[in-house]
Amino acid sequence: FDGWVGIRDPLREDVRDAVLQCRAAGIEVKMITGDTIETARAIGREIGLLDHPAAIAMTHDEFEALTDDELSAKLPNLRILARAKPLDKYRIVRLLQAQNHVVAMTGDGTNDAPALKKADVGLAMGISGTEVAKEASKIVLLDDAFSTIVRGVQWGRALYENIQRFI
């Protein structure tokens, strides 16, 4: 053994707080990633997604083996889907909408376009996102930051409440 090298891509400073703010606002955050399950779990623990004993992290293979009914039963506790394929995102959106959830999906690639289009609110990354993802989305984030979504929700809810008061 001549040596050991570890490379770590640090999380943005605002992500953990943004996830906590989403949860406090009643928004359930799910991470769908192409990373390995080990990497996804480590990130999930760091940002607070795996803070409950019932929280589920699974791989594409486990996900694909479930029927829609089985998956629908697990969706409330599913927090992380690792090694995800593009149609996995679409399937999650479809099943959550079937349970009468309002679904927002973020994405940056061409492979995210079907899920972005199907979601009630598709959010594309403006810097790293492809043109296909931007066209499929309803909102384009100019700074690619998850915390921008939180600010958008705050402004949207405030605007909605003001309209309700006026009416």
Side-chain angles (χ1 to χ4, degrees), residues 31-164:
M31 182 172 75
I32 304 170
T33 180
D35 288 335
T36 65
I37 189 70
E38 294 82 11
T39 301
R41 278 193 182 118
I43 293 168
R45 278 190 293 273
E46 194 170 337
I47 63 175
L49 285 181
L50 295 177
D51 61 347
H52 192 274
I56 299 171
M58 68 172 58
T59 64
H60 162 76
D61 294 334
E62 297 165 326
F63 179 84
E64 190 177 45
L66 297 172
T67 66
D68 281 355
D69 290 336
E70 292 169 333
L71 183 57
S72 291
K74 290 184 183 260
L75 273 178
N77 294 321
L78 178 64
R79 300 282 172 80
I80 297 173
L81 178 60
R83 288 290 185 209
K85 304 282 193 243
L87 290 179
D88 295 344
K89 295 178 181 185
Y90 184 86
R91 185 178 178 201
I92 286 177
V93 170
R94 181 176 52 81
L95 291 175
L96 285 170
Q97 287 175 332
Q99 295 177 357
N100 295 319
H101 292 284
V102 175
V103 180
M105 173 67 68
T106 62
D108 61 359
T110 302
N111 59 345
D112 296 324
L116 290 170
K117 192 131 186 100
K118 175 78 173 151
D120 297 297
V121 180
L123 299 134
M125 303 300 159
I127 297 171
S128 63
T130 63
E131 289 304 314
V132 173
K134 291 175 190 176
E135 287 296 321
S137 299
K138 292 176 178 70
I139 298 172
V140 177
L141 301 176
L142 298 178
D143 62 358
D144 290 8
F146 187 73
S147 60
T148 301
I149 297 169
V150 174
R151 285 194 304 276
V153 169
Q154 289 171 336
W155 280 102
R157 286 184 175 180
L159 181 61
Y160 179 77
E161 287 174 11
N162 286 336
I163 291 170
Q164 291 291 75

Side-chain angles (χ1 to χ4, degrees), residues 4-44:
W4 179 263
V5 176
I7 299 173
R8 183 173 190 272
D9 188 10
L11 294 175
R12 293 182 183 189
E13 295 175 11
D14 60 344
V15 173
R16 182 170 174 73
D17 289 338
V19 169
L20 292 173
Q21 287 176 333
C22 282
R23 290 213 155 135
I27 299 169
E28 181 62 41
V29 178
K30 299 183 185 309
M31 182 172 75
I32 304 170
T33 180
D35 288 335
T36 65
I37 189 70
E38 294 82 11
T39 301
R41 278 193 182 118
I43 293 168

